[in-house]
Amino acid sequence: MTAVHDTDQPASVTPRDEPARPEPAAPLHEQPPQDRPRRDRPFSGPTRAADTAAADDARRERRERRAAWLLRVASRLRSVAGVIRPLGWVVIAVAAVLWAVALWLGWQEMMIAAAVVTTVIAVCLFFLIGRTTYDVELDLTRSRVVVGERAIGGLTLRNDTARAILPSEVVLPVGSGRGIFAVPRLAVGEEHEELFAIPTRARGVLAVGPVSVLRGDPIGLFERTHNRRAATDLYVHPRTTDLSGLSLGRMRDLEGLPVRQLERDDVSFHALREYQPGDDLRHVHWKSTARIGRLMVRQYEQTRRSHFVIGLSTNADEYGAPDEFELAISIAGSVGLRALSDARVLDARVPQGALRTRSPRALLDELSGLGQSRPRAGTIADLAGAAAAHSPQAAIAVLITGSRADPGRLRAACSRLPRDVRVLAVVAEDGRSAPELRRIGDADLVALGALDQLPRAVRRVLA
């Protein structure tokens, strides 16, 4: 018989009806890396970058569509507002005030007045319905005139439609103004011609046109136009004076002063040298070649054609009055035309850059559109430095400015040009009765009060 002994430590028995409990897991920092649970992390690879770029593109596209829509709305509002004339705005404002007072206070008199004004506005709007079609031809006899001359032109309107056109009005804008012509009833194939003259009181570039057919109400509240022809530019050139016989550039022409630089081909013979590959055989000196026994060629001193430079300051601070600026432009045009007529190489400059000088017409066209610039555009000294940098072969330089130009800057402008360049500084001074001539270093300075004083001043400089 076997005895059963009790022990101090009972056996571990798991009841059948109680589930087994898992052992507590160790902390994460104590678990080995391969046993740690993985956490869900957002993927930051190429897919996420592509999604971000696509979202940015979508937002940019929405902004562009919104901006385009706003531009279209603003364009429509501008076109609608352009139909209303100043009197129309006043009447619309009066109607709005009458309706507000009538609805707020309940006055029947105000309501009747508001209804009458609103009815007038609605009736006037009916006059804008429809379109008048002409075949328009605008002809300017001269597209370039001098200040003070009249530009003559003609306007021809033809009815090429299949029905008669009722009387209407045609608008011809000229610069900031406009002319209105009454056109009678035109039958099929009939035409009407209008002649006009444009007075030119100031230099500039005027846009003539576009020719528009005007539709409006009898009261003048609304007005609508249909453009029928593109605008034409009318150049109003500055006044110039004749400087014939006064050529400042004659001192360094083909027969002018030589320089120290030697050339292979020119007109001033200097010396002989030994033949080098590439030399023109026409310049071989055969007598010296026979005596020495080696090919000898002629060597020449370089001579230059006159390179003319005009520097016109447009700095507003350097001019005391608008007339001084117009005088300066006229001086620049007169000197430039003389240089071109003498077949000089001309370089005309303003602080904004170089002007077109390939022909007298191109130069005057450029001067027609010039206006005064802000002080930050540069002074006369800055302009002289730019002229020296861009025209190192210059022989004559004419610097033009106003009476308020600082004397120190004017002296610095003359000194910035090379020493072998003949410099003439011209100061436009309003109200001066006679020209004044003085020296600034190696340069000549002339002060003028009128354009007709320029020939006499140039003669004094040449003397």
Side-chain angles (χ1 to χ4, degrees), residues 276-291:
Q276 296 178 1
D279 289 339
D280 193 344
L281 294 177
R282 293 177 299 176
H283 302 303
V284 174
H285 195 270
W286 296 108
K287 291 183 180 181
S288 300
T289 299
R291 185 173 63 253

Side-chain angles (χ1 to χ4, degrees), residues 42-66:
F43 184 67
S44 59
T47 303
R48 185 180 181 185
D51 294 343
T52 304
D56 293 340
D57 293 341
R59 285 193 295 270
R60 189 181 303 108
E61 185 178 357
R62 286 194 298 269
R63 286 196 299 267
E64 291 177 355
R65 286 199 300 265
R66 191 181 302 112

Side-chain angles (χ1 to χ4, degrees), residues 5 28 99 131 175 245 263 343 364 456:
H5 301 277
L28 289 177
W99 278 113
R131 178 172 296 184
E263 295 293 332
L364 293 178
R456 183 172 43 171

